[in-house]
Each structure stands twice: as structure tokens, then as C-alpha cells.
Amino acid sequence: MTEPVAEAGADPIETRCGYVALAGRPNVGKSTLMNHLLGRKLSITSRKPQTTRQALIGVLTRDQAQIVFVDTPGIHVASGRALNRYMVGQAVGSLAGVELALMLVEATGWHDGDEIVRRRIREADVPCICVINKIDRLRHKERLLPLMDTLSRKHDFEALVPVSALKNLALDDLLAEVVSRLPHRSHLFAADEVTDRSLAFLVGEIVREKAMRRLGAELPHQTAVVVDRITLSEPCAEVDAVIYVERDTQKRIAIGKGGAMLKSIGEDARKDIEALIGSQAMVRLWVKVDRHWSGRPEALQRFGYHSQRAAKGAR
Ligand SMILES: Nc1nc2c(ncn2[C@@H]2O[C@H](COP(=O)(O)OP(=O)(O)OP(=O)(O)O)[C@@H](O)[C@H]2O)c(=O)[nH]1
Ligand SMILES: [Mg+2]
């Protein structure tokens, strides 16, 4: 339970604060939106669906308002692996108890997958703003009007807000819509707090993002990262992390010829880790096989996918 944070001079009648879940099918841009709203990279993103696996809080404190965004995994029909069921559980669990949901859809049109998300939002009975993302991809902006008309008939949305998360278009309009719907109350987090997640979690996610981006189509979904050690010593921090895959053939791909692939992943990760911690870093990576881990609940627990930790677990 997060206790309200008393701020010097902050009057609870003047201040606003609330939890706002970002929901949507995989790949609609939820994590990109959260990062761009926060003005810093917190959540990992990629062109491949099912990038985000665990709910992640990102706190934006601006003027008198504090928005506690909850980035969530993409909602989809999770009939398959334990990992997929876990991911959808994280997303749906995050909708319970938030003050507001932002349902992201793509500007290119309503999708069958959006219907699954809409149903989950209706079941959660949470007020919802529909964010029409990726408007930069629309060649003909007049296409937005029929889409907005369709969306307004799909659900009783509080508002429809077209944006481009990637190009920072209309994000202030979205923030204004969000803030005006937050309850008047004291802030829950200190002004300099950005997330409730540990450094090890964020570093592990950076490594996973780089592996996802470098590795081919199938492999990313069978990759987990465990950070064994972080030493924040001067002048150079040290990070040891293991990339787990499910099969020997995947291990060979992840290491690459003469270790070239692993070296590239490590190099990409080092840059982001240095930006995160603000100092030089040395990143050492290993690849290990844990057979079919994504189908085994006990392996998920070992890799930090704890089912009891829901998105609003910080409340
Ligand atoms: N053109 C364009 N691309 C975007 C925009 N927002 C996100 N993207 C891209 O869409 C892809 C998916 O973005 P993510 O933020 O990872 O999507 P997500 O909804 O978090 O995906 P999951 O975590 O897999 O559910 C990435 O390649 C982003 O760069 C946008 O406004 N315009
Ligand atoms: Mg995501």
C-alpha cells in the first residue's frame, strides 16, 4: 500500500492523483506512449508484438497533478503457454481498481483484437478514454472522422483522442483529458520517483529489448533475462546477466558466429544502461537453455514473473 506523500505547500484540494492503465492489443504502442508521456525511456518497445510481459508503473508529476501510468502487456486470447496466460493476467489485473483506462487503438482502423480489449475494459467497469495512436501513419487525415464515428458506437468512451506517441503529436491534449478526470487527492509518490521497479528489473528489460530487436521472428518470445549481479562502482558499473532460451538451436543463434550476436546485444544494452544509470557500464552476457520454460509456471516464477504481483501491487 503506497501512503500519500505530503508535499510542501501542496493542498490536497488542489492536487490531483490517480492510477491510469494503458490497455490495448499487442503492438498498438502502449509502451511507446508511456515513455513519451514521461519524457524518458522506462518501458521496452519493439516492432514485435508481446514485448511487454509485466505491468510497469511510470509516474508523471507535473504541476499539481500526479499520473501513475500502468503500462500493461497486450491483451490477447491467451489459450497457449503459461507465459501468455501470465501476460494477459497482468494486463487484466491492472484494470481492476485504476481510476481511468486508456484504450489504445491504431488509426488504421478497428481490429478484431480491439474487441477483446474493449470487453475486458467493460468487465472491469472502468472509465475509459480511447487513444487513437499512430496518426502519423495516416496519409489521409480525413479517414479519422469515420473511425471516430465507429469508435463512439463501440463503447461509451469518455473521450476520443487521436495522437502519435512516436512523433509526440497531441500528447498534451491527451494529458489534459487525463488530468481533468483524476480525483482530487494528495500525491502517492515523491516528485522524483518515476517507477516502483528495481534497477535490476529495468536493466534486465533493456537486455531483453536488445535481444528481441536483434533476434529473428520466433526467438524473442522464448527469451527471458535474469540479472545476476549489478555493481555500481566508479568509474564503471558492472552488469552480469543471463539470457535464457528454450532450445540448443536457439542458444547457437543468440550467441552467433564467434559470439558476434551476443556481442551486439551486449553493446546495444550497454548504451541504454549507461543512459539509465548515468555512468559507464560493462555488460557481460551469457546464454543458457532452460527447456520450454515459457510453458512451465515454476520457471516463470524463477525468472521473476510472479503472478501475485499485479500492476497496482504498489498501491
Ligand atoms: N508510426 C508509429 N509507430 C508507433 C507509434 N507508437 C508506437 N509505434 C511503434 O509500434 C511498435 C510497437 O510499439 P510498442 O510501444 O512496443 O507497443 P505495445 O503496445 O507496448 O506492444 P506490446 O508490449 O507488445 O503489447 C513499435 O515499433 C513502435 O515504434 C506511433 O505513434 N507511430
Ligand atoms: Mg509494451
Side-chain angles (χ1 to χ4, degrees):
M1 184 88 178
T2 303
E3 295 299 325
V5 177
E7 278 186 69
D11 178 351
I13 305 300
E14 296 292 322
T15 57
R16 288 175 183 261
C17 180
Y19 279 77
V20 178
L22 294 149
R25 64 185 162 86
N27 218 37
V28 285
K30 301 175 292 298
S31 303
T32 305
L33 180 62
M34 185 165 92
N35 289 342
H36 284 244
L37 288 168
L38 295 177
R40 62 178 287 169
K41 184 170 165 158
L42 194 62
S43 205
I44 66 168
T45 66
S46 91
R47 274 186 289 150
K48 291 156 191 152
Q50 300 177 19
T51 301
T52 306
R53 289 183 181 161
Q54 290 172 286
L56 172 69
I57 278 176
V59 184
L60 178 64
T61 307
R62 194 191 261 191
D63 305 325
Q64 300 284 58
Q66 183 168 76
I67 313 171
V68 186
F69 289 109
V70 187
D71 185 21
T72 67
I75 293 176
H76 58 285
V77 180
S79 50
R81 298 173 301 165
L83 177 61
N84 288 74
R85 290 197 300 274
Y86 169 84
M87 287 162 63
V88 173
Q90 284 275 298
V92 173
S94 302
L95 290 172
V98 294
E99 274 73 30
L100 184 68
L102 304 184
M103 175 176 169
L104 274 77
V105 299
E106 286 193 13
T108 42
W110 185 259
H111 188 280
D112 286 347
D114 296 324
E115 184 56 31
I116 300 168
V117 181
R118 192 195 65 80
R119 265 190 243 133
R120 294 295 199 169
I121 287 171
R122 197 183 53 195
E123 281 161 19
D125 195 22
V126 57
C128 183
I129 292 175
C130 183
V131 179
I132 306 165
N133 191 30
K134 308 193 186 182
I135 56 168
D136 56 290
R137 285 214 182 136
L138 273 189
R139 277 226 212 108
H140 306 286
K141 296 284 182 267
E142 59 275 14
R143 294 247 172 95
L144 264 178
L145 286 175
L147 176 61
M148 289 171 87
D149 187 46
T150 305
L151 290 170
S152 61
R153 276 185 274 123
K154 295 274 180 200
H155 188 86
D156 188 15
F157 290 115
E158 295 268 320
L160 304 171
V161 188
V163 305
S164 167
L166 196 63
K167 307 280 182 198
N168 291 321
L169 295 176
L171 298 192
D172 279 338
D173 298 343
L174 176 59
L175 281 178
E177 293 283 359
V178 170
V179 170
S180 68
R181 289 173 176 84
L182 295 184
H184 288 278
R185 67 165 182 232
S186 305
H187 294 176
L188 291 164
F189 292 83
D192 58 352
E193 267 182 288
V194 180
T195 187
D196 61 332
R197 290 287 191 174
S198 68
L199 181 61
F201 173 86
L202 298 175
V203 165
E205 286 289 88
I206 288 172
V207 175
R208 194 166 64 81
E209 176 187 82
K210 303 314 175 194
M212 277 198 84
R213 290 183 177 190
R214 287 266 177 192
L215 298 171
E218 267 308 299
L219 196 42
H221 302 298
Q222 283 135 31
T223 305
V225 174
V226 173
V227 175
D228 279 343
R229 190 174 70 101
I230 301 181
T231 313
L232 292 176
S233 44
E234 290 290 334
C236 186
E238 290 180 31
V239 173
D240 292 349
V242 181
I243 300 173
Y244 284 91
V245 292
E246 302 205 316
R247 293 195 296 272
D248 295 322
T249 46
Q250 296 172 341
K251 179 174 171 176
R252 280 198 289 281
I253 296 168
I255 292 173
K257 215 171 178 187
M261 175 60 86
L262 196 58
K263 195 171 167 214
S264 304
I265 294 170
E267 192 51 29
D268 293 349
R270 181 186 60 78
K271 291 180 195 147
D272 277 22
I273 292 168
E274 289 183 344
L276 178 72
I277 63 179
S279 86
Q280 284 185 314
M282 187 165 77
V283 179
R284 278 185 298 251
L285 300 179
W286 287 264
V287 183
K288 291 185 183 170
V289 177
D290 194 312
R291 285 183 209 292
H292 308 296
W293 68 265
S294 66
R296 293 177 11 241
E298 117 286 341
L300 260 64
Q301 292 273 340
R302 235 178 327 113
F303 293 159
Y305 300 113
H306 302 296
S307 44
Q308 68 274 22
R309 193 192 189 291
K312 56 185 182 56
R315 298 192 82 174

